[in-house]
Amino acid sequence: MTAVIMDGNAVGKAVRGRLAARVQALAKRGVTPGLAVILVGENPASRVYVRNKVKACTDTGIHSVLVEYPADATADTVLGRIRELNADPTIHGILVQLPLPPHIDVDDVLATISPSKDVDGFHIESLGALLAGKPDFQPCTPHGVMEILDHYEIPLSGRNAVVVGRSNIVGKPMALMLLGRDATVTICTSKTRDLAAHTRNADILVVATGRPRMVTGDMVKPGAVVVDVGINRDADGRLVGDVDFDSVKDIASHITPVPGGVGPMTITMLLANTVVSAERAAG
Ligand code: GUN
């Protein structure tokens, strides 16, 4: 049997349609949601991501401000601008695109963003709220994965969920979100012994390692739901995930493709967080 393809473009479009209606309702009250995106340096992938985020804002009726700095900008310059944006009533969300140049301390930058405008959900306060089971702004990629799972009505309670990857941006918050829905969660890392023994136990398998096609069909339980967070280029320059789609699609019950799976949901949840922030500001 071939797996159901979980279509992030379609789920994202549906969510964005609902957001556009909320943006219109805010407009009637004289409020336009505003997102500031800060980009430091020339990382080509970051440029593409930032361009896509700005375009998605425009398409949804969200005002966006792109603040660009050269790679040698000082930390003080960036922190100073974040403080200005914290105080700017037309801005409801602030996002600093990662990675930053090595001379800028990412923890300082994230800590300077006001938690009330932390639409990326990377501030320690936002992550702590998630840990405490009282989520506020949630990191966009794992939040988008939850939207996809819910859209396809994947049951989570009591099921074995395995997350491969432990980043603060994806793996750890993903595990907490699944735990919050009463899944039995295992987090695997690059140090995990016999990774396949863990992944084969997964009813829901989320892979976020940054290693192209590392999860193959023999590592997946028949009927499992497989979510691929990876975006990599293979030797031929093609976009591929962390999951070997061709060998897994005949074993899983559901699978996200790359591209067109989790990727579109990350930006969608950023827009959602920005709209929520604007609604709060509007009272
Ligand atoms: N770099 C890679 N993914 C992300 C993201 O979701 N947000 C930000 N700010 N930087 C990133």
Side-chain angles (χ1 to χ4, degrees), residues 225-249:
V225 174
V226 179
V227 178
D228 188 350
V229 180
I231 304 180
N232 316 284
R233 293 228 176 246
D234 71 4
D236 302 326
R238 279 188 311 167
L239 277 186
V240 297
D242 296 351
V243 173
D244 180 37
F245 186 87
D246 289 340
S247 67
V248 173
K249 74 175 192 316

Side-chain angles (χ1 to χ4, degrees), residues 41-274:
E42 301 295 332
N43 183 313
S46 290
R47 290 207 158 268
V48 174
Y49 290 136
V50 161
R51 202 186 319 132
N52 290 343
K53 287 171 185 178
V54 168
K55 179 174 184 312
C57 282
T58 309
D59 292 348
T60 316
I62 295 173
H63 164 65
S64 65
V65 178
L66 174 57
V67 183
E68 290 183 84
Y69 291 112
D72 61 357
T74 66
D76 279 349
T77 303
V78 177
L79 296 180
R81 190 61 198 263
I82 292 171
R83 290 192 190 97
E84 283 171 21
L85 292 164
N86 283 342
D88 182 341
T90 68
I91 293 297
H92 305 98
I94 302 169
L95 174 159
V96 179
Q97 187 66 29
L98 304 180
L100 288 166
H103 67 280
I104 299 182
D105 185 312
V106 64
D107 294 331
D108 281 352
V109 166
L110 297 180
T112 302
I113 296 171
S114 166
S116 69
K117 298 189 179 186
D118 177 37
V119 288
D120 246 341
F122 294 169
H123 193 288
I124 277 185
E125 203 169 293
S126 305
L127 292 171
L130 180 60
L131 179 70
K134 297 181 169 46
D136 191 357
F137 291 123
Q138 303 191 66
C140 299
T141 298
H143 195 188
V145 171
M146 297 304 284
E147 283 285 329
I148 291 181
L149 294 174
D150 284 343
H151 179 89
Y152 287 91
E153 299 183 345
I154 307 297
L156 300 174
S157 178
R159 301 186 83 204
N160 290 341
V162 175
V163 179
V164 189
R166 59 152 149 210
S167 70
N168 287 346
I169 293 178
V170 183
K172 282 186 217 165
M174 183 81 258
L176 290 167
M177 289 176 202
L178 291 163
L179 190 62
R181 296 281 295 275
D182 299 319
T184 301
V185 182
T186 303
I187 306 177
C188 297
T189 73
S190 58
K191 305 281 190 300
T192 296
R193 281 190 230 153
D194 197 357
L195 176 64
H198 291 281
T199 59
R200 269 189 225 115
N201 193 35
D203 300 310
I204 295 120
L205 177 61
V206 182
V207 189
T209 62
R211 290 162 63 188
R213 297 194 183 107
M214 70 159 294
V215 168
T216 47
D218 57 311
M219 299 169 70
V220 174
K221 174 156 107 175
V225 174
V226 179
V227 178
D228 188 350
V229 180
I231 304 180
N232 316 284
R233 293 228 176 246
D234 71 4
D236 302 326
R238 279 188 311 167
L239 277 186
V240 297
D242 296 351
V243 173
D244 180 37
F245 186 87
D246 289 340
S247 67
V248 173
K249 74 175 192 316
D250 295 325
I251 295 168
S253 69
H254 295 72
I255 187 168
T256 57
V258 176
V262 175
M265 293 308 295
T266 297
I267 296 187
T268 301
M269 302 324 290
L270 173 70
L271 303 175
N273 281 347
T274 305

